[in-house]
Amino acid sequence: MGGYFYNSSDLPPFTLTGLPGLETYQHWMFLLLGTLYLVSIVGNALILSIIKEEQSLHQPMYYFLSLLSVNDLGVSFSTLPTVLPTFCFHLREISFNSCMAQMFFIHLFSFMESGILLAMSFDRYVAICNPLRYATVLTDGRVVCMGMSVIIRSFCMVFPLPFLLKSLPFCKANVLSHAYCLHPDLIRLPCGDITINNIFGLFIVISTFGLDSALILLSYMFILRSVLAITSQEERFKTLNTCVSHICAVLIFYVPMVGVSMVARYGKHAPRYVHTLMSLAYLFVPPMLNPVIYSIKTKEIRRRLCKILFGTKF
């Protein structure tokens, strides 16, 4: 480290890391990442457009889906300014303030996605377990309140992180492990005591991802109990089918997250590209696959999408 310490005001730029050894595949990386971003941005924009134009989709479930699409667009636009330059053009420097801003938005949208998935699970719980009260429980006003609660909670959780990092002295070697700024990566760099940062980081992870995943699991336990009480096997299948899209969205969000955590904790001797690929999967997979899943599984969205793309209805 050389004994050099810097305040945030005079800190040298951070150095972002791509995939070592792929420098000669610049054009292929641009094609791959550009395609992923294009699918994510266009797919989520189409979902928003279809829900806005289709009157039959003006229901609580699709309001939450709209919020999920907006959130996925936020994730894509948060990582794009550094991922494409790092992987495709080898521009790997980012200033301290820009890194703090990117970290804030990446984590903000990650926490929001967890909260949105929880709200969607509550929607499915009410629709299946209390169908007669669905319209009275999930009114437009309550849907707005739930959405605002998710946003406010996420903002309050993430807001202190940049200030806690700014208060720490940094050493000279500020090389990050990814092509974007994440809090777990940044707290390895300061030379001061990071106990408060670690405790606060653990607290917000448990109180958001941990609590949300437990409540989602609980809601599906109640849903499964209600479904098993249905005598008709055909009705059981039809009822469960309404949850498939949400279950897939939950899995593609939480499984890569658990994978990143496991690799970070137990894969210290794994090649660096394993960590990079797992982290990319965590940030790329949900925004890309969510619109694909809902387009395939939701009849109204699929019909409208086919009309937009092919001029026909299926």
Side-chain angles (χ1 to χ4, degrees), residues 7 38 68 90 133 144 151 205:
N7 295 319
L38 186 65
L68 183 65
H90 310 302
R133 298 184 58 199
V144 171
I151 295 171
V205 167

Side-chain angles (χ1 to χ4, degrees), residues 111-308:
F111 289 141
M112 280 180 57
E113 182 140 356
S114 179
I116 295 166
L117 292 173
L118 175 59
M120 296 175 82
S121 72
F122 178 71
D123 170 88
R124 292 298 83 206
Y125 163 76
V126 176
I128 294 173
C129 299
N130 296 284
L132 298 179
R133 298 184 58 199
Y134 183 81
T136 57
V137 172
L138 285 170
T139 61
D140 289 349
R142 284 179 180 165
V143 170
V144 171
C145 288
M146 291 171 68
M148 290 302 298
S149 298
V150 168
I151 295 171
I152 293 171
R153 183 194 70 164
S154 302
F155 180 84
C156 291
M157 291 293 184
V158 180
F159 184 73
L161 293 180
F163 297 99
L164 288 173
L165 281 168
K166 279 191 173 185
S167 65
L168 295 170
F170 282 76
C171 300
K172 186 169 64 173
N174 290 319
V175 180
L176 300 177
S177 303
H178 306 291
Y180 34 78
C181 300
L182 296 175
H183 183 259
D185 200 16
L186 286 164
I187 60 173
R188 299 184 301 102
L189 303 179
C191 302
D193 185 9
I194 60 171
T195 303
I196 295 177
N197 298 68
N198 282 327
I199 293 174
F200 183 73
L202 181 62
F203 166 74
I204 62 176
V205 167
I206 293 174
S207 59
T208 51
F209 298 137
L211 181 61
D212 292 350
S213 59
L215 291 175
I216 290 172
L217 181 61
L218 181 64
S219 69
Y220 271 100
M221 290 174 62
F222 286 119
I223 288 171
L224 186 60
R225 187 180 67 176
S226 296
V227 169
L228 292 176
I230 300 174
T231 54
S232 171
Q233 186 172 354
E234 184 179 349
E235 286 299 317
R236 286 183 189 176
F237 177 79
K238 185 178 179 181
T239 303
L240 281 176
N241 195 47
T242 63
C243 300
V244 170
S245 298
H246 179 255
I247 293 172
C248 291
V250 169
L251 291 176
I252 64 175
F253 177 73
Y254 280 105
V255 170
M257 180 194 299
V258 172
V260 169
S261 301
M262 295 297 288
V263 168
R265 183 174 295 273
Y266 301 109
K268 294 180 180 179
H269 301 293
R272 181 183 294 178
Y273 67 83
V274 174
H275 297 262
T276 303
L277 290 175
M278 289 299 298
S279 182
L280 284 173
Y282 168 56
L283 291 175
F284 272 89
V285 170
M288 182 186 66
L289 288 186
N290 281 336
V292 175
I293 291 169
Y294 278 94
S295 297
I296 293 173
K297 294 299 298 180
T298 308
K299 185 189 299 183
E300 295 85 352
I301 294 177
R302 184 173 68 247
R303 184 183 298 124
R304 187 68 180 243
L305 187 61
C306 289
K307 185 177 180 181
I308 293 173

